[in-house]
């Protein structure tokens, strides 16, 4: 088969959704019907192929993205099953960075849930074409039309139904294909492998005709051929519809929507057909862009003949393999034994082994080609987000941005003998997960590990103790506070030291002013070259930014402030970069104390789904946690409470919510922004942390 044909028949897709929408169950069915698995794995039984980690099987959720490859209708599909819990958003982010298309799974009852919005925005960020699968049509309260409406309202998407469900809830029988005009029923005795093709039932003909016209109407907006036939009232052939739909999906104008029930083995084969028909091959996406050593933009075509370029999107270490690097090859190919170049670290690497992945099972191969997703062993310097390229051809692909942790716990080895093992294990986990950080508290000497939420840290600690067998004591969760300023102030710093023949001289006058929340740190020079030469500006900025790591209240990092260099002086012979760095650090430490320092805390978006009779208890409980209650929605006798609450008040919320609602409510939570802690509360926190 020609290389072009191989690439055109390849799909790199991700399965993404809110937690418990049925991503992993859908993936398990895909593997079964494509012949990749020979038995159906179930999440609730703990035997799902893609949820292979012990922590995933215990909790029935996906924690780590898992990759696999399967074949359908002579097409090769590389699939990544991503987590749905907000604490593991970074896993979704780095997978979307290297995927060409996405299947977004929605629960037919819940519709567009909070994490559905988060992952949809991530896909928007990378301009990824997607198709939607409305799952769980057999559940009580399933509503296909409601889900379509929510997709348009909440996601700003342009969904177009390609199917109609026949019956719903316990009466869900099958689907009607709006393009072919056929009804498909999935045989229960063969676990859905046998698909019966029937005519559209008489009772559904009117609904089918109306839905078919809506499909043509939407397509007519993006395809002149369809528009012409639609206006002239001429029939449009299925082939013309498929072609127009593919074009509109790839250009992000439309989102094809299908439906089914993965758990009941209904609707998966048509979903696979749609992956092939509408999602892009590596040839359908624009050539990857990067920069060369001089900063010029360069591109690489998806071709084995082009120079090699790949992005390492994930690292994994376990007891068998020191460093397993997942990569997406954008151009060229690699073979075992090849030497490649890491332009970010400016180091050469050797490819010792190449693997194709099927969850935690690995198959050694001799080479990987353009468009492929696989893993390599042998990289010593490469970390997540790094580019690999040919030794004589430098290209640096776009790096990935990772969110900062919002919650931390203190951890210490149980004995002196365990210290090295704990430090090595933490280092391995931090290498794997860019949203997990390790810091040493300078005042107490404690090791603080930080992550994206309680569950994130719980999983990391579980892996430390059970997978890496590290013996450690773990403290209570702590909020990662920040500090800022509230007023504009000025201060000067002068470093004038004479030791030996040559002195050290640096003198700056700094002005600080508060910035809006989320603005970070901004530095601006407002003095002339005659006063302070430009050669010292980088050292001054570094001296300031290094000092912002520890604020004046309780030592948390300072943020949301602008520092203006408004004065100073230099000495022709004695001024040095080091002297200016020290003088800037002296000035900034002095000025922030007088600039009305404030404590900031992480604010979370909370969404609680509860039966109506418990609404009052839920709102009272949230009010007691300093939450600001927003909109309360009613959907099918279920109340959805939208609120914002400080993270510090939400520890253990799942327990209090269960007891307030007899276990019938659930909630989701994600980071929103940092906000000022009320003065009285801030005073209590400061005294507690200072040990007063």
């Amino acid at each position: 088969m020609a290389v072009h044909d191989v690439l055109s028949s390849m799909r790199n897709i991700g399965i993404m959704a809110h937690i418990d929408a049925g991503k992993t169950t859908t993936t398990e069915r895909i593997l079964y019907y494509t012949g990749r698995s020979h038995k159906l794995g179930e999440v609730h039984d703990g035997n799902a192929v893609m949820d292979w980690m012990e922590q995933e099987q215990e909790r029935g959720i996906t924690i780590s993205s898992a990759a696999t490859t399967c074949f359908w209708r002579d097409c090769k599909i590389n699939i990544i099953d991503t987590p749905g819990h907000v604490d593991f958003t970074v896993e979704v982010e780095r997978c979307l960075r290297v995927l060409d298309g996405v299947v977004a799974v929605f629960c037919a009852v819940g519709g567009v849930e909070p994490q559905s919005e988060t992952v949809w925005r991530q896909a928007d960020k990378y301009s990824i074409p997607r198709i939607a699968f409305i799952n769980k049509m057999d559940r009580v309260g399933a509503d296909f039309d409601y889900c379509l409406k929510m997709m348009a309202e909440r996601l700003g998407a342009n969904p177009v139904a390609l199917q109609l469900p026949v019956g719903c809830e316990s009466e869900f029988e099958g689907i009607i294909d709006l393009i072919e005009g056929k009804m498909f029923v999935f045989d229960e005795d063969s676990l859905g492998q046998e698909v019966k093709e029937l005519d559209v039932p008489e009772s559904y003909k009117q609904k089918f005709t109306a839905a078919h016209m809506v499909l043509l109407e939407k397509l007519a907006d993006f395809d002149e051929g369809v528009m012409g036939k639609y206006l002239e009232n001429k029939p449009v052939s299925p082939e013309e519809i498929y072609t127009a739909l593919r074009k509109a999906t790839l250009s992000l104008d439309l989102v094809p929507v299908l439906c089914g029930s993965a758990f009941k083995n209904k609707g998966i084969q048509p979903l696979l057909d749609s992956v092939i028909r509408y999602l892009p091959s590596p040839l359908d996406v624009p050539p990857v862009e990067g920069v060369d050593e001089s900063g010029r933009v360069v591109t690489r075509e998806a071709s084995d003949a082009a120079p090699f370029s790949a992005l390492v999107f994930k690292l994994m270490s376990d007891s068998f393999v020191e460093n397993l690097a997942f990569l997406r090859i954008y151009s060229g190919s690699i073979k075992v034994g090849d030497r490649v170049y890491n332009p970010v670290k400016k180091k050469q690497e050797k490819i010792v082994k190449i693997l194709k992945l099927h969850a935690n099972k690995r198959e050694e191969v001799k080479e990987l080609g353009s468009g492929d997703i696989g893993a390599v062993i042998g990289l010593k310097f490469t970390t997540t987000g790094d580019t690999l390229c040919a030794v004589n051809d430098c290209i640096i692909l776009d790096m990935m941005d990772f969110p900062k942790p919002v919650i931390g716990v203190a951890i210490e080895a149980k004995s002196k003998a365990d210290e090295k093992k704990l430090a090595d294990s933490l280092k391995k986990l931090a290498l794997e997960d860019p949203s997990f950080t390790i810091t040493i508290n300078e005042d107490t000497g404690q090791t603080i590990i930080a992550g994206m939420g309680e569950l994130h840290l719980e999983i990391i600690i579980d892996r430390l103790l059970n997978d890496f067998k590290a013996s450690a004591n773990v403290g209570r969760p702590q909020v990662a506070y920040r500090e800022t300023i509230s007023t504009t102030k000025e201060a000067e710093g002068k470093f004038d030291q004479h030791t030996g023949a040559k002195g050290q001289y640096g003198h700056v006058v700094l002005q600080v002013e508060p910035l809006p929340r989320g603005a970070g740190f901004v530095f601006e020079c407002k003095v002339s070259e005659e006063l302070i030469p430009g050669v010292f500006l980088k050292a001054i900025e570094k001296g300031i930014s290094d000092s912002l790591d520890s604020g004046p209240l309780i030592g948390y990092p300072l943020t949301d402030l602008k520092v203006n260099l408004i004065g100073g002086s230099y000495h022709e012979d004695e001024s040095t970069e080091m002297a200016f760095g020290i003088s800037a650090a002296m000035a900034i430490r002095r000025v922030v104390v007088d600039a009305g320092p404030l404590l900031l805390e992480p604010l979370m978006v909370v969404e609680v789904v509860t039966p109506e009779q418990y609404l009052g208890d839920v709102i009272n409980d949230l009010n007691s946690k300093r939450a600001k209650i927003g909109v309360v929605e009613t959907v099918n006798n279920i109340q959805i409470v939208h609120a914002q609450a400080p993270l510090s008040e939400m520890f253990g919320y799942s327990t209090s919510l269960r007891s307030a609602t007899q276990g019938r409510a659930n909630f989701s939570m994600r980071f929103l922004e940092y906000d000022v802690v009320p003065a009285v509360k801030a005073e209590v926190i400061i005294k507690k942390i200072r040990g007063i």
Side-chain angles (χ1 to χ4, degrees):
M1 191 184 280
V3 174
H4 187 279
D5 292 338
V6 170
L7 285 172
S8 66
S9 61
M10 182 188 290
R11 302 288 182 271
N12 290 317
I13 67 161
I15 313 283
M16 68 178 196
H18 183 87
I19 190 168
D20 205 31
K23 291 179 312 305
T24 302
T25 305
T26 303
T27 310
E28 293 295 320
R29 273 25 179 204
I30 288 173
L31 297 181
Y32 181 66
Y33 296 130
T34 57
R36 195 70 176 84
S37 296
H38 299 295
K39 71 181 186 72
L40 288 173
E42 301 292 2
V43 174
H44 57 271
D45 291 336
N47 61 6
V49 173
M50 302 301 272
D51 284 353
W52 56 270
M53 288 172 66
E54 192 179 310
Q55 293 82 0
E56 293 176 317
Q57 292 167 355
E58 282 174 7
R59 294 166 177 80
I61 61 168
T62 302
I63 292 165
S64 175
S65 51
T68 188
T69 301
C70 60
F71 293 85
W72 183 255
R73 305 206 189 286
D74 297 326
C75 274
K76 178 182 183 179
I77 307 175
N78 292 319
I79 301 174
I80 298 181
D81 177 31
T82 64
H85 196 285
V86 68
D87 283 13
F88 308 105
T89 300
V90 69
E91 279 286 317
V92 185
E93 179 84 19
R94 59 184 176 186
C95 293
L96 288 177
R97 171 67 181 80
V98 298
L99 292 169
D100 299 328
V102 159
V103 175
V105 180
F106 297 92
C107 172
V109 182
V112 177
E113 296 167 282
Q115 187 64 1
S116 314
E117 293 184 57
T118 305
V119 295
W120 194 271
R121 283 196 300 272
Q122 287 173 302
D124 281 340
K125 175 180 166 184
Y126 294 114
S127 301
I128 300 175
R130 62 216 87 150
I131 58 179
F133 180 65
I134 296 177
N135 189 28
K136 302 193 176 185
M137 285 303 303
D138 59 311
R139 283 266 307 274
V140 174
D143 191 332
F144 183 69
D145 293 331
Y146 168 69
C147 291
L148 286 171
K149 187 181 168 195
M150 280 186 88
M151 284 178 68
E153 289 175 357
R154 285 204 182 181
L155 305 176
N158 190 2
V160 56
L162 305 190
Q163 299 171 346
L164 285 178
V166 178
C168 69
E169 301 184 350
S170 60
E171 304 295 314
F172 179 57
E173 290 178 55
I175 55 174
I176 292 170
D177 189 309
L178 294 176
I179 301 170
E180 298 284 350
K182 295 286 181 186
M183 174 176 166
F184 295 107
V185 177
F186 303 85
D187 179 53
E188 291 183 19
D189 294 335
S190 65
L191 297 175
Q193 279 193 312
E194 285 182 29
V195 184
K196 294 171 188 168
E197 191 178 297
L198 307 170
D199 290 331
V200 176
E202 201 63 44
S203 57
Y204 274 83
K205 281 199 171 161
Q206 195 175 341
K207 199 173 180 183
F208 162 77
T209 305
H212 181 72
M213 293 309 288
V214 169
L215 169 60
L216 293 181
E217 200 176 301
K218 286 206 171 189
L219 277 179
D221 290 339
F222 307 105
D223 189 279
E224 288 182 12
V226 174
M227 179 185 277
K229 289 195 171 184
Y230 175 73
L231 293 174
E232 292 168 21
N233 216 9
K234 289 181 179 174
V236 185
S237 71
E239 285 68 30
E240 289 172 300
I241 295 176
Y242 291 140
T243 304
L245 260 173
R246 180 174 180 78
K247 193 173 80 174
T249 306
L250 295 185
S251 60
L252 307 181
D253 291 317
L254 286 177
V255 179
V257 182
L258 302 98
C259 63
S261 167
F263 182 57
K264 292 291 175 69
N265 312 313
K266 294 174 180 176
I268 302 302
Q269 293 94 327
L271 174 63
L272 279 164
D273 289 338
S274 296
V275 166
I276 305 302
R277 281 190 185 120
Y278 311 123
L279 292 182
S281 74
L283 295 173
D284 294 315
V285 294
V288 70
E289 279 191 357
V291 294
D292 61 14
E293 284 169 314
S294 58
R296 286 176 307 181
V297 175
V298 288
T299 59
R300 292 286 177 270
E301 296 280 343
S303 164
D304 284 0
F308 170 68
S309 68
L311 187 77
V312 175
F313 66 94
K314 178 174 175 171
L315 292 182
M316 202 170 85
S317 54
D318 58 27
S319 47
F320 305 109
V321 178
E322 197 53 33
N323 254 350
L324 190 66
F326 291 59
L327 49 79
R328 158 72 191 263
I329 299 180
Y330 285 99
S331 62
S333 60
I334 47 165
K335 295 183 176 70
V336 173
D338 280 358
R339 287 203 167 273
V340 294
Y341 182 59
N342 181 333
V344 180
K345 301 291 191 296
K346 294 184 167 46
K347 298 276 189 183
Q348 280 195 30
E349 300 268 29
K350 187 177 179 183
I351 307 298
V352 177
K353 278 184 185 176
I354 300 176
L355 305 170
K356 288 297 286 179
L357 301 163
H358 178 49
N360 62 333
K361 296 182 178 66
R362 292 145 193 177
E363 174 194 335
E364 278 195 48
V365 293
K366 294 296 179 193
E367 67 177 304
L368 285 176
S370 179
D372 245 328
I373 291 175
V376 296
I377 295 172
L379 305 184
K380 289 186 167 58
F381 311 103
T382 301
T383 53
T384 301
D386 284 359
T387 302
L388 295 178
C389 61
V391 173
N392 56 355
D393 178 80
C394 178
I395 179 173
I396 301 174
L397 304 176
D398 274 353
M399 303 283 279
M400 290 184 268
D401 296 323
F402 297 113
K404 296 279 187 291
V406 294
I407 179 173
V409 295
I411 191 166
E412 63 180 19
K414 281 189 175 175
S415 68
K416 197 79 177 163
D418 296 319
E419 281 181 4
K420 187 176 185 315
K421 183 156 193 181
L422 177 63
D424 289 347
S425 302
L426 285 172
K427 194 175 171 185
K428 282 182 182 178
L429 285 168
L431 201 63
E432 278 186 33
D433 185 349
S435 63
F436 167 63
T437 62
I438 310 154
T439 53
I440 308 292
N441 187 306
E442 287 179 12
D443 297 331
T444 63
Q446 277 185 314
T447 299
I448 307 293
I449 59 173
M452 299 306 297
E454 280 186 282
L455 181 62
H456 187 199
L457 283 182
E458 185 189 311
I459 299 297
I460 281 168
I461 291 159
D462 193 313
R463 289 192 63 198
L464 264 177
L465 304 180
N466 298 320
D467 295 357
F468 290 92
K469 308 295 182 199
S471 298
N473 295 318
V474 183
R476 289 171 59 82
Q478 303 166 351
V479 175
Y481 291 103
R482 298 278 186 273
E483 297 181 27
T484 191
I485 57 167
S486 58
T487 59
T488 301
K489 288 286 178 182
E490 295 174 14
E492 73 172 332
K494 184 182 278 190
F495 184 73
D496 188 4
Q497 196 173 68
H498 294 274
T499 51
K502 193 181 177 196
Q504 295 269 358
Y505 181 84
H507 172 221
V508 297
V509 180
L510 300 180
Q511 179 196 60
V512 293
E513 56 181 286
L515 290 178
R517 295 291 77 86
F521 160 60
V522 177
F523 172 73
E524 189 179 337
C525 174
K526 293 187 174 180
V527 299
S528 65
E529 280 268 336
E530 288 78 30
L531 210 58
I532 297 176
V535 70
F536 297 120
L537 294 182
K538 196 167 264 187
I540 292 170
E541 185 174 358
K542 188 173 187 309
I544 295 167
S545 63
D546 287 351
S547 300
L548 297 180
D549 285 349
S550 179
L553 293 174
I554 40 177
Y556 280 97
L558 277 152
T559 187
D560 300 343
L561 75 163
K562 184 180 181 185
V563 181
N564 299 306
L565 176 61
I566 58 170
S569 59
Y570 86 106
H571 193 284
E572 189 77 46
D573 298 321
E574 296 185 345
S575 285
T576 62
E577 288 186 7
M578 185 184 85
F580 270 105
I582 293 170
S583 63
M586 290 163 62
I588 196 71
R589 279 198 286 266
R590 196 172 296 151
V591 74
V592 293
V593 174
D594 300 327
L598 295 171
L599 193 63
L600 300 175
E601 64 184 347
L603 204 61
M604 312 301 283
V605 172
V606 183
E607 187 171 288
V608 184
V609 180
T610 176
E612 197 165 1
Q613 65 262 42
Y614 301 112
L615 181 62
D617 294 331
V618 166
I619 289 176
N620 288 338
D621 192 26
L622 284 170
N623 283 331
S624 73
K625 298 180 186 302
R626 293 196 284 130
K628 293 175 187 169
I629 309 296
V631 180
V632 179
E633 285 181 84
T634 304
V635 180
N636 299 337
N637 299 322
I638 294 290
Q639 302 293 319
I640 304 172
V641 182
H642 299 267
Q644 293 176 8
L647 174 63
S648 59
E649 303 286 348
M650 296 303 288
F651 292 143
Y653 181 59
S654 55
T655 306
S656 67
L657 182 65
R658 273 199 298 271
S659 61
T661 63
Q662 296 180 14
R664 292 178 62 194
N666 60 69
F667 80 104
S668 62
M669 188 167 70
R670 64 179 169 84
F671 172 70
L672 174 66
E673 62 183 2
Y674 273 89
D675 201 10
V676 178
V677 182
V680 175
K681 186 74 179 173
E683 199 177 323
V684 173
I685 294 167
I686 291 165
K687 282 181 177 176
K688 186 179 176 184
I689 291 176
R690 284 179 178 170
I692 298 171

